[in-house]
Amino acid sequence: LSINQPKLCPSATWNSKAITFADQNTIGTQPYSISIDINNTIYVAEGNLNRVQVWQNGNSTPIRNISNGLNIPRAVFPSINGDIYVDNGKPNGQVDRWTVNATNGTRVMNISDACYGLFIDINNYLYCSIDPTNNVIKQSLGNGTLTVAAGTGTGGNKANQLSHPRGIFVDTNLNMYVADSGNARIQLFKPGQSNATTVAGTGASETFTLNQPVAVILDSDGYLFIADFGNNCIVRSGRSGFYCLFGCTYHPGTASNQLHNPQSLSFDSYGNIYVVDFKNQRIQKFNLATNSCDISYNLPKLCSNATWNPDAITVANSTSIGLYPQGLFVNINNTVYLSATSFNNILVLSEGSTSPQTYISYDLSGPGAMFVTVDGTVYVYNSANNGSIYKWANNGAAGSVLAMFVNSTCNGIFVDIQDNIYCSVRHRHIVTKKLSNNTANTTTTIAGNGTAGSGPYMLENPRGIFVDINFNLYIADCENNRIQLLQQGYTNMTTVVGNGSNETIVFDCPTSVV
């Protein structure tokens, strides 16, 4: 394809505050569409100025102005060879092709009204969504054959109908995604099929409610990013469903973290997202902040018949770790971290060693549960400081920093791939979470209701916790003798093993889960 589909990890994050790439002084009052090609050349269709402007990668000054003969262009799309296709359909009734350095466009498609979405697939077919006729048409750029790609021509909400279709995306398997604006849904038309499957919005199995979705793009793994015009936000899909990415108050605004009727969006090759913020008459750039797929803990591939030696080897004993050690972590380099609770320190042993190489002990008292991130930062329950989680970087040489205020005992700590911190609070029968961009005192209860119990939303003395890369939370629910799974986006938990499951294993206070 000629446009970018970056490889994004499930934990990818973007800065919530956008940079304004272009404002009204540059793009006028009706910016309709943006496309960015694989060379990071940016194309913006500017309706009231009857033109398309072009920027090169990294340049804030336009290098080209396409305008001769255009009338209120609604959509623009670059081809793989550098030609640019521009809607010129209202009132001219055509789509034009502009070759490199051309001063005039050439008519390539006759249309009955404006194209609100344009796309060119890998077989060199040009697609156009026409709002008044409620359909999508496509034409071979090789032989000029024109056919209806989707819709019956009559607006409706059946599987073969569309209502005010807007943005289009056709993947390399020729699956066509249509922003079916009037039906508040995203429709997937598979090759050769006239009936679509609803993948987002009204009629889909997921619960996210769309309000006039007008654009849809896909990353390299086929996850959807949607401009939701009526909700003033950008929505994305992930392994655990759909969620809001930008503009998540759903109210229009002019601040850098707000949108007002987003109209179009496009990736650059780095994974940054450009959004046409229509009513604010600007192009907003949301920079990719993190895109690391790394994890700090081991996830070995184990066969179903794997066995372990029943006779263990002692790595550390009471001489080095004292009595009743409470925390253990092994990273991907097989470095072992131990909370020597009675000694008020943390021991670090490299693979194969029985002698600690590093002590982390400064301003630490009664350490318990712990977690170590990819960069070597140690998070540990520090009982002496009002029962909170502290973190040490660089082997603790500079002392600790408060990471999460708990005011109770954390029997389990986990830091997910977005650096959110989790704590199982045994005496309160809950699991709490601190988002990475929140202060240490701002936490949210995500599992349990604060009362001991065995219901699907309750816990009793929870201990160890584990969060997978899809943000599913596993909890060792000690007094209920079970392991609970809280899936991303759900409030009730599922018992995966122990009391209440279909498994035959009987627990007696499970305390850890990996």
Side-chain angles (χ1 to χ4, degrees):
L1 293 174
S2 59
I3 58 174
N4 298 292
Q5 289 186 268
K7 176 67 177 178
L8 300 170
C9 298
S11 60
T13 62
W14 287 261
N15 291 334
S16 60
K17 294 183 178 180
I19 298 168
T20 299
F21 173 76
D23 61 17
Q24 178 184 347
N25 295 323
T26 304
I27 59 175
T29 60
Q30 290 182 329
Y32 280 121
S33 173
I34 187 169
S35 284
I36 304 175
D37 69 18
I38 55 177
N39 298 312
N40 288 332
T41 303
I42 301 170
Y43 307 83
V44 177
E46 302 163 3
N48 72 300
L49 299 177
N50 299 312
R51 71 184 184 188
V52 171
Q53 288 202 90
V54 184
W55 290 259
Q56 278 187 329
N57 181 20
N59 198 326
S60 59
T61 302
I63 61 167
R64 188 178 180 190
N65 182 326
I66 297 170
S67 58
N68 193 9
L70 290 182
N71 196 328
I72 317 177
R74 300 270 183 171
V76 59
F77 196 87
S79 67
I80 200 73
N81 67 357
D83 293 345
I84 306 166
Y85 290 78
V86 184
D87 163 63
N88 194 10
K90 196 179 184 86
N92 291 333
Q94 62 193 58
V95 176
D96 295 339
R97 178 178 62 225
W98 292 72
T99 58
V100 177
N101 298 323
T103 56
N104 291 284
T106 303
R107 180 193 297 249
V108 293
M109 177 188 275
N110 294 314
I111 51 179
S112 60
D113 204 283
C115 287
Y116 283 84
L118 286 173
F119 202 93
I120 299 173
D121 72 16
I122 59 171
N123 290 335
N124 212 27
Y125 275 82
L126 175 65
Y127 296 73
C128 161
S129 60
I130 305 179
D131 181 291
T133 57
N134 300 295
N135 64 5
V136 177
I137 59 174
K138 70 175 183 178
Q139 179 176 305
S140 169
L141 293 174
N143 60 27
T145 302
L146 190 147
T147 57
V148 174
T152 63
T154 301
N157 60 9
K158 295 179 181 177
N160 66 340
Q161 291 180 306
L162 299 168
S163 177
H164 304 294
R166 296 301 179 94
I168 312 163
F169 193 100
V170 185
D171 68 20
T172 55
N173 296 316
L174 302 181
N175 297 306
M176 180 175 65
Y177 296 80
V178 180
D180 190 10
S181 175
N183 286 318
R185 64 188 185 183
I186 303 296
Q187 295 293 85
L188 165 59
F189 292 87
K190 294 186 177 181
Q193 300 295 314
S194 60
N195 287 335
T197 301
T198 302
V199 293
T202 304
S205 57
E206 49 78 28
T207 58
F208 201 97
T209 301
L210 300 176
N211 182 6
Q212 291 182 269
V214 292
V216 57
I217 58 176
L218 275 66
D219 69 10
S220 64
D221 289 321
Y223 291 118
L224 278 63
F225 292 72
I226 302 164
D228 196 6
F229 187 88
N231 279 329
N232 305 293
C233 69
I234 304 300
V235 178
R236 72 157 297 182
S237 67
R239 292 180 179 176
S240 300
F242 286 84
Y243 59 93
C244 181
L245 199 58
F246 312 126
C248 300
T249 64
Y250 310 114
H251 296 296
T254 60
S256 60
N257 64 343
Q258 292 179 302
L259 299 167
H260 191 175
N261 297 149
Q263 180 79 28
S264 177
L265 73 169
S266 191
F267 289 115
D268 67 16
S269 65
Y270 308 109
N272 304 313
I273 302 175
Y274 290 70
V275 178
V276 174
D277 191 10
F278 183 72
K279 284 290 181 66
N280 286 324
Q281 300 164 2
R282 63 189 183 181
I283 306 295
Q284 295 293 83
K285 178 184 179 183
F286 293 90
N287 284 317
L288 184 66
T290 61
N291 192 29
S292 174
C293 298
D294 295 335
I295 56 175
S296 61
Y297 49 88
N298 297 291
L299 287 175
K301 177 67 175 178
L302 300 173
C303 298
S304 59
N305 60 346
T307 61
W308 286 261
N309 193 326
D311 296 320
I313 298 170
T314 300
V315 175
N317 58 29
S318 60
T319 301
S320 58
I321 61 175
L323 301 176
Y324 311 117
Q326 295 182 21
L328 170 68
F329 189 91
V330 183
N331 73 7
I332 55 175
N333 297 317
N334 290 332
T335 300
V336 179
Y337 296 77
L338 295 163
S339 289
T341 308
S342 61
F343 289 165
N344 299 320
N345 61 29
I346 294 172
L347 282 63
V348 183
L349 298 90
S350 60
E351 182 175 11
S353 173
T354 56
S355 300
Q357 294 182 316
T358 306
Y359 286 83
I360 299 175
S361 57
Y362 176 66
D363 64 7
L364 180 64
S365 179
M370 62 160 44
F371 191 94
V372 183
T373 56
V374 172
D375 63 2
T377 299
V378 177
Y379 292 78
V380 63
Y381 169 70
N382 193 359
S383 63
N385 288 293
N386 297 317
S388 293
I389 298 174
Y390 279 71
K391 66 177 181 179
W392 281 260
N394 301 317
N395 293 326
S400 65
V401 176
L402 176 64
M404 181 178 181
F405 180 73
V406 181
N407 198 26
S408 191
T409 302
C410 275
N411 281 91
I413 294 174
F414 204 95
V415 181
D416 70 21
I417 55 178
Q418 290 185 345
D419 288 331
N420 304 310
I421 307 172
Y422 301 73
C423 163
S424 61
V425 188
R426 184 183 73 178
H427 299 304
R428 287 197 249 142
H429 315 291
I430 58 173
V431 175
T432 61
K433 176 181 179 180
K434 188 199 81 70
L435 296 176
S436 59
N437 59 350
N438 282 348
T439 65
N441 291 303
T442 305
T443 62
T444 304
T445 297
I446 60 169
N449 66 352
T451 300
S454 59
Y457 54 91
M458 303 175 81
L459 299 167
E460 185 168 358
N461 292 339
R463 301 294 183 91
I465 50 179
F466 185 92
V467 184
D468 67 21
I469 61 172
N470 298 317
F471 307 105
N472 297 309
L473 169 65
Y474 296 81
I475 306 165
D477 189 11
C478 170
E479 295 297 331
N480 284 319
N481 297 312
R482 64 188 183 182
I483 303 297
Q484 294 293 86
L485 165 61
L486 179 65
Q487 292 180 286
Q488 170 81 349
Y490 288 79
T491 55
N492 282 351
M493 292 171 275
T494 303
T495 303
V496 292
V497 65
N499 284 352
S501 76
N502 294 324
E503 302 294 334
T504 57
I505 293 177
V506 177
F507 288 127
D508 184 5
C509 187
T511 56
S512 183
V513 57
V514 295

